């Protein structure tokens, strides 16, 4: 696969983003949703910020208190054996490592704009910041589906009661309407198709079943983008391959002559995140036609291998012009990058 990484990569780094409070530092500007708005490319960044800590033995956890409408900062001593601090993203209770008790940073969304898709200017203020109890640990990994003149923006809403997918919409990237949670916990990586298929909206989603099952890709349909039903299991993990740990949708599905092309992420059991592709039937996207044997993009460049959480390439949006797929992607849970790939080359590489 020919992958043309932009020489300007990484396009946006945490150092480019001013924290929204002086006592915070930006540790990530990554996993951005992508849209075209007027003559600009919009990158809706997931900005992760954490309270500055001068003492390495103290780990802080920011939590948005909706009643007081302010951030609270909890402090943990790294010598406290009740907690586990091994994953830099989370704080876990030592007697239950299967779930996290707190996150070490809080994410929100911020707009970066560009005329050429390579050089971005970052808005001085947050775009959408957590605003309700289901978002008190932050909002993450936004995706944007444009339908008509409305941009539907949906993201992981993280709180002590779980990680689900909530949706807002905007027409001008200024005023927003909140539509509440559209997929209950635990669910992430929702991708709404950009048009109806046979009179119905479709969305990919990624539940995390507990009793049986794995973090794999499902598909659902809806009459109105708010109520989702007729859920079907779509795509699974593959033992011993690059996507044997967890998979989830990445970019908004791309309509091609051969079918709906979905660029998805797959992680191995040891958390190496790559991008692959799957082709779905044009008239019935619940049918898988073909899939990547090997990743179309894997962490190789220094900025993809090293960072806050290394060995991660994670796309939330791509733009297509002719045969060129401009895939924007988060690197190492830290920065944003972009690579161009050939649409026909991706399609030709898929096997059934
Ligand atoms: C995982 C990672 C983190 C994220 C949490 C909550 O631990 O993807 O980056 O903050 O889940 O969604």
């Amino acid at each position: 696969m020919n992958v043309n990484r932009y020489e300007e990569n990484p396009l946006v780094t945490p150092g480019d983003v001013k924290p929204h409070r002086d006592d915070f530092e930006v540790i990530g500007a990554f996993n951005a949703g992508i849209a075209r708005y007027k003559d600009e490319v919009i990158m809706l960044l997931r900005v992760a910020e954490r309270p500055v800590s001068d003492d390495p033995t103290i780990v802080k956890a920011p939590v948005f208190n909706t009643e007081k409408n302010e951030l609270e900062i909890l402090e943990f001593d790294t010598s406290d054996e009740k907690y586990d601090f091994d994953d830099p993203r989370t704080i876990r209770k030592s007697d239950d490592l299967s779930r996290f008790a707190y996150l070490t940073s809080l994410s929100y969304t911020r707009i970066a704009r560009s005329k050429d898709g390579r050089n971005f200017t970052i808005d001085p203020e947050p775009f959408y910041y957590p605003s309700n109890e289901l978002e008190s640990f932050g909002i993450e990994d936004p995706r944007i589906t444009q339908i008509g003149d409305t941009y539907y923006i949906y993201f992981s809403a993280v709180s002590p009661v779980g990680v689900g997918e909530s949706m807002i919409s905007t027409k001008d990237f200024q005023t927003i309407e909140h539509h509440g949670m559209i997929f209950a916990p635990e669910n992430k990586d929702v991708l709404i198709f950009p048009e109806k298929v046979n009179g119905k909206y479709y969305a990919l989603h990624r539940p995390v079943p507990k009793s049986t099952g794995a973090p794999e890709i499902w598909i659902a349909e809806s009459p109105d983008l708010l109520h989702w039903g007729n859920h079907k299991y779509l795509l699974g993990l593959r033992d011993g391959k690059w996507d044997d740990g967890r998979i989830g949708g990445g970019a908004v599905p791309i309509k091609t002559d051969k079918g709906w092309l979905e660029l998805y992420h797959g992680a191995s059991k040891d958390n190496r995140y790559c991008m692959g592709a799957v082709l779905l039937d044009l008239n019935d996207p619940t049918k898988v036609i073909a899939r990547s044997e090997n990743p179309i993009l894997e962490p190789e460049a220094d900025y993809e291998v090293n960072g806050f959480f290394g060995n991660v390439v994670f796309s939330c949006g791509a733009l297509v012009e002719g045969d060129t797929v401009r895939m924007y992607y988060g690197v190492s849970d830290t920065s944003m990058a972009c690579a161009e790939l050939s649409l026909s080359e991706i399609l030709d590489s898929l096997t059934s």
Side-chain angles (χ1 to χ4, degrees):
M1 188 72 51
N2 288 302
V3 177
N4 171 23
R5 289 174 171 84
Y6 283 1
E7 58 189 31
E8 293 89 346
N9 280 350
L11 303 179
V12 174
T13 68
D16 299 330
V17 184
K18 192 179 167 297
H20 89 292
R21 267 170 62 153
D22 288 344
D23 55 341
F24 273 59
E25 59 186 344
V26 174
I27 57 163
F30 60 117
N31 299 3
I34 302 294
R36 277 185 219 275
Y37 174 64
K38 297 189 173 165
D39 61 346
E40 290 179 327
V41 175
I42 299 264
M43 234 188 218
L44 189 61
L45 299 164
R46 166 182 174 187
V47 171
E49 286 185 5
R50 71 178 172 203
V52 175
S53 176
D54 299 326
D55 181 349
T57 66
I58 300 292
V59 175
K60 297 182 178 179
V63 180
F64 186 73
N65 183 320
T66 33
E67 264 162 42
K68 296 189 192 149
N69 198 27
E70 65 183 32
L71 272 173
E72 274 172 358
I73 297 165
L74 312 178
E75 298 199 357
F76 298 84
D77 198 316
T78 50
S79 64
D80 185 342
E81 288 179 358
K82 287 202 294 300
Y83 293 98
D84 180 280
F85 304 94
D86 275 359
D87 182 336
R89 304 172 301 182
T90 59
I91 298 167
R92 288 167 197 263
K93 290 200 172 125
S94 301
D95 60 4
D96 183 6
L97 295 175
S98 68
R99 64 188 74 221
F100 62 80
Y102 297 99
L103 293 178
T104 53
S105 65
L106 181 133
S107 294
Y108 63 90
T109 60
R110 186 101 151 230
I111 292 174
R113 306 164 189 272
S114 172
K115 298 263 192 250
D116 63 4
R118 291 172 182 256
N119 298 287
F120 285 83
T121 310
I122 296 151
D123 281 8
E125 298 295 328
F127 171 65
Y128 177 67
Y129 199 83
S131 72
N132 66 46
E133 275 175 22
L134 297 178
E135 300 168 356
S136 60
F137 283 176
I139 57 176
E140 306 177 346
D141 306 346
R143 271 83 171 197
I144 309 173
T145 299
Q146 182 182 1
I147 299 177
D149 62 355
T150 304
Y151 295 83
Y152 293 92
I153 300 168
Y154 37 97
F155 44 78
S156 305
V158 188
S159 79
V161 296
V163 183
E165 191 87 1
S166 289
M167 185 165 78
I168 61 176
S169 64
T170 184
K171 286 184 194 296
D172 56 8
F173 286 94
Q174 281 176 7
T175 51
I176 65 138
E177 190 182 341
H178 205 303
H179 302 284
M181 189 167 271
I182 53 172
F183 285 89
E186 180 162 342
N187 212 315
K188 278 184 173 185
D189 302 322
V190 171
L191 272 313
I192 297 177
F193 286 61
E195 59 184 73
K196 283 184 175 173
V197 181
N198 290 322
K200 288 173 252 177
Y201 292 110
Y202 281 88
L204 307 174
H205 63 104
R206 208 291 301 280
V208 184
K210 281 285 178 313
S211 312
T212 170
E216 298 173 316
I217 302 178
W218 289 60
I219 188 164
E221 58 185 55
S222 169
D224 59 4
L225 300 170
L226 298 178
H227 303 89
W228 295 91
N230 198 14
H231 298 266
K232 288 181 179 155
Y233 173 82
L234 187 73
L235 198 70
L237 305 177
R238 293 183 293 190
D239 255 357
K241 286 201 194 299
W242 55 277
D243 51 1
D244 66 356
R246 47 182 56 234
I247 56 173
V252 174
I254 299 163
K255 195 178 188 183
T256 76
D257 295 346
K258 295 193 173 161
W260 290 101
L261 181 68
E262 171 59 15
L263 308 178
Y264 73 94
H265 65 264
S268 57
K269 289 202 168 76
D270 55 357
N271 280 327
R272 183 171 187 264
Y273 281 74
C274 298
M275 291 300 300
V278 61
L279 190 67
L280 308 175
D281 189 283
L282 213 46
N283 295 309
D284 180 4
T286 68
K287 286 195 187 130
V288 174
I289 299 173
R291 182 176 181 180
S292 302
E293 191 63 23
N294 299 309
I296 59 167
L297 180 73
E298 52 190 313
E300 281 168 345
D302 174 58
Y303 49 84
E304 297 165 349
V305 172
N306 299 305
F308 180 66
F309 195 83
N311 275 316
V312 177
V313 293
F314 190 100
S315 176
C316 295
L319 299 173
V320 181
E321 252 168 58
D323 189 52
T324 304
V325 178
R326 228 196 260 169
M327 184 165 74
Y328 289 89
Y329 58 101
V331 290
S332 297
D333 282 8
T334 304
S335 302
M336 279 303 295
C338 184
E340 287 184 356
L341 295 96
S342 151
L343 182 60
S344 49
E345 203 181 327
I346 296 175
L347 290 170
D348 289 346
S349 73
L350 306 180
T351 50
S352 46

